[in-house]
Amino acid sequence: MISVKGLHKTFHNARGSVEVLKGIDAEIADGEKVVIIGPSGSGKSTFLRCMNLLETPTLGHIIFDGQDITKKGTDIDKVRMQMGMVFQQFDLFPHMTVEENITLAPVMLKKESKEEARAHAYDLLKMVGLEDKAGSYPKQLSGGQQQRVAIVRALAMNPKMMLFDEPTSALDPEMVGEVLNVMERLADEGMTMAVVTHEMGFAKEVANRVLFVDGGQILEESTPDEFFSHPRNPRAQDFLSKILNT
Amino acid sequence: MNRSLSDRLYDALIYKDRWHYITNGLEYTIIITICALIIGLILGSMSAIVKTAYQNNKRNPGLAILNFIVSIYLTVIRGTPTVVQLMIMYFIIWQSGTSLEVAIAAFGINSGAYLAEVLRSGIQSVDRGQMEAGRSLGLSYPQTMWKIILPQAFKNVAPAIFNEFITLLKETSVAGYVGIQELTKGGDIIRSITYDAVPPLLIVALIYLVIVIGLTQILRVIERRLAQSDLR
């Protein structure tokens, strides 16, 4: 589905430059669920955001569905239509109702007629248990509800793959479960997923593979069973001991 | 000058149907204001988009050129008096234009420069995540700008836009300089006929005041409507 080769990313600011990604190679196959974990500032979100070019890689290649999307002249909008993304802060459009949030892109990009998009939105909202919220504005919803709508908004484009950037980190603890449930369901239905998260339970239950990122590199790559019981890399061991003790 | 107020009002308005100067003048004032505001909003939005796009992507040469042009536009317009701009437009740049066309263009260009800064701050007040959310769905930059960023930006700066509207309305009072008989000029003509300045000028002032108060009330209603999506 997607393969990342030699990915480097350097940010430039007034005080100089910071190399956030120092050569990342990874591959995610069709239907695979990959969880990316690591300490904060490790570059894991940047890695994810490079996959749909929200961040432009400094070096390296990203091949999505057989197409090198880092090549000049790539129609990135076309690529992003097939790659849904869910953000930490939900980022729903506050001036639109839930239904308008969901139907905007499919209708504007001529994937569906207004009626089709509306019916599709209703089906998806039903799947996440929010069919009665179609006419509400985002601010009238709880964080968990907003994030479920954000997932639906991405799914409305029928993407081939979904990227999740710490989808539960901004939620109150009691709302984390409802969002993870939706993601688990999506995983069960065979969606290809790349998830940056601190939810180790989710990683254990759902992931096919765990990538441990620190210092802009993938330090360990293994199945969740192996990773959580026998981490090989010392920094991974250190990281796990810290988060599993709290 | 011991004539009664009613006599003076009669002379200023009723005698020989002089009130036409006021009503025709008001019509011009409103036409110029509304047309200029529309032009101003279009020019202002374009300038604001260029400025923000350039700030986010300073290495694009096309944007750099556009940004340079916009900067000159803003500096020149904001650095010179409106009346002077109006006269330059009428006597130098667009000699073939009618007074009305020239006035609409001049006031539109003028208010565009002021609205540009207002709208730029509006665009920047919209959370960065909104642009990313729009782009991540496959919408292009212009599509995201138009459907997602600008509506929120307009809402955030609606009071400032309305202030510009009110300023513009009052500024059109100098359109008499290029031969338009708008409201102020209309009142002034009555003054020059009757040799009595008090009734026509006070009436003109009162009409501006009533319109501005009315617009302010409308602004309140609009703000309440716009706040609909903020209700919990």
Side-chain angles (χ1 to χ4, degrees):
Chain A
M1 175 67 59
I2 193 164
S3 71
V4 177
K5 290 174 184 165
L7 177 64
H8 287 256
K9 174 69 186 177
T10 305
F11 285 105
H12 300 275
N13 59 25
R15 271 172 288 159
S17 54
V18 192
E19 194 177 21
V20 178
L21 298 180
K22 300 171 182 167
I24 289 207
D25 295 279
E27 198 140 336
I28 300 174
D30 263 8
E32 215 183 359
K33 298 103 190 58
V34 171
V35 166
I36 303 158
I37 60 180
S40 64
S42 59
K44 55 192 190 307
S45 278
T46 307
F47 170 35
L48 191 79
R49 289 159 56 81
C50 279
M51 287 194 211
N52 66 351
L53 301 194
L54 277 185
E55 304 291 354
T56 315
T58 312
L59 265 179
H61 295 273
I62 295 164
I63 290 108
F64 174 71
D65 215 18
Q67 184 193 359
D68 185 350
I69 62 172
T70 43
K71 224 167 57 191
K72 273 208 162 135
T74 304
D75 184 349
I76 187 57
D77 296 332
K78 277 250 160 62
V79 176
R80 286 180 182 146
M81 286 168 72
Q82 303 169 38
M83 233 193 286
M85 185 159 194
V86 175
F87 301 87
Q88 185 176 353
Q89 299 293 342
F90 331 135
D91 295 327
L92 292 178
F93 310 131
H95 58 303
M96 297 180 186
T97 63
V98 165
E99 182 183 285
E100 287 164 345
N101 263 278
I102 300 166
T103 56
L104 174 76
V107 173
M108 229 180 155
L109 299 170
K110 313 253 183 295
K111 282 199 82 161
E112 290 171 342
S113 72
K114 231 176 182 154
E115 288 68 40
E116 285 167 346
R118 217 173 275 161
H120 190 189
Y122 181 81
D123 289 343
L124 288 168
L125 281 174
K126 205 164 170 185
M127 180 191 90
V128 301
L130 292 173
E131 65 270 28
D132 56 333
K133 299 290 185 191
S136 304
Y137 283 97
K139 282 198 177 152
Q140 297 165 327
L141 306 180
S142 72
Q145 291 172 328
Q146 287 191 52
Q147 193 61 302
R148 282 185 278 160
V149 172
I151 294 172
V152 165
R153 179 176 67 179
L155 289 176
M157 291 296 290
N158 289 324
K160 291 180 178 161
M161 179 180 181
M162 287 283 285
L163 308 175
F164 293 85
D165 189 2
E166 302 201 27
T168 57
S169 298
L171 293 174
D172 290 337
E174 76 268 27
M175 293 171 184
V176 170
E178 63 194 64
V179 171
L180 291 180
N181 281 341
V182 170
M183 290 168 62
E184 277 183 49
R185 230 179 112 179
L186 210 54
D188 289 343
E189 285 168 13
M191 177 62 78
T192 310
M193 293 161 71
V195 185
V196 171
T197 186
H198 295 294
E199 293 297 329
M200 297 305 139
F202 178 82
K204 279 181 202 166
E205 299 279 317
V206 180
N208 304 112
R209 209 148 34 99
V210 173
L211 304 182
F212 177 74
V213 177
D214 195 12
Q217 287 174 310
I218 295 177
L219 296 183
E220 183 154 351
E221 179 174 356
S222 50
T223 63
D225 277 351
E226 219 176 278
F227 180 75
F228 288 108
S229 49
H230 310 291
R232 282 160 296 167
N233 185 284
R235 272 195 271 176
Q237 291 164 358
D238 183 48
F239 176 74
L240 282 177
S241 73
K242 274 180 194 153
I243 54 162
L244 295 179
N245 282 342
T246 51
Chain B
M1 283 304 247
N2 288 329
R3 295 156 62 223
S4 71
L5 184 63
S6 60
D7 281 353
R8 292 164 75 181
L9 280 174
Y10 177 85
D11 268 2
L13 296 178
I14 315 293
Y15 186 64
K16 288 192 176 171
D17 280 347
R18 283 173 186 151
W19 54 274
H20 278 303
Y21 288 112
I22 300 287
T23 52
N24 292 347
L26 182 60
E27 201 181 321
Y28 274 116
T29 295
I30 290 171
I31 291 172
I32 296 171
T33 306
I34 290 176
C35 294
L37 184 75
I38 293 168
I39 293 174
L41 283 172
I42 294 169
L43 287 176
S45 305
M46 290 186 340
S47 307
I49 290 170
V50 167
K51 290 217 116 188
T52 22
Y54 174 71
Q55 257 169 13
N56 294 335
N57 188 359
K58 291 203 172 172
R59 272 174 283 180
N60 184 319
L63 278 177
I65 294 169
L66 284 174
N67 184 62
F68 182 68
I69 296 171
V70 167
S71 300
I72 291 177
Y73 164 51
L74 301 189
T75 308
V76 169
I77 296 299
R78 294 197 299 177
T80 54
T82 313
V83 196
V84 176
Q85 291 163 19
L86 182 66
M87 292 198 292
I88 289 177
M89 184 65 99
Y90 186 68
F91 292 110
I92 303 174
I93 297 175
W94 195 6
Q95 294 176 7
S96 61
T98 67
S99 295
L100 184 64
E101 287 166 352
V102 168
I104 288 172
F107 286 115
I109 291 169
N110 179 274
S111 88
Y114 290 94
L115 286 170
E117 282 301 306
V118 168
L119 290 169
R120 189 185 56 81
S121 70
I123 291 172
Q124 280 173 346
S125 72
V126 177
D127 191 273
R128 226 184 93 118
Q130 293 288 303
M131 178 55 85
E132 292 189 343
R135 297 304 307 275
S136 79
L137 289 165
L139 300 174
S140 64
Y141 182 89
Q143 285 172 326
T144 311
M145 207 21 124
W146 182 246
K147 291 295 276 192
I148 295 163
I149 309 295
L150 280 183
Q152 297 181 61
F154 272 102
K155 180 183 151 181
N156 291 347
V157 295
I161 293 176
F162 233 77
N163 276 337
E164 175 57 28
F165 187 20
I166 289 169
T167 306
L168 182 60
L169 173 85
K170 292 180 291 182
E171 284 220 309
T172 58
S173 61
V174 298
Y177 273 89
V178 295
I180 292 182
Q181 292 184 16
E182 41 67 56
L183 183 56
T184 304
K185 187 71 183 172
D188 197 45
I189 290 172
I190 297 175
R191 178 194 60 77
S192 68
I193 299 172
T194 60
Y195 296 107
D196 184 2
V198 177
L201 292 186
L202 288 188
I203 287 167
V204 166
L206 188 68
I207 292 174
Y208 280 116
L209 186 63
V210 167
I211 297 176
V212 170
I213 291 172
L215 287 177
T216 313
Q217 293 303 318
I218 294 172
L219 170 64
R220 298 242 167 85
V221 176
I222 292 175
E223 279 186 307
R224 226 175 294 144
R225 284 264 173 81
L226 287 175
Q228 202 182 3
S229 60
D230 290 338
L231 296 177
R232 282 166 189 272

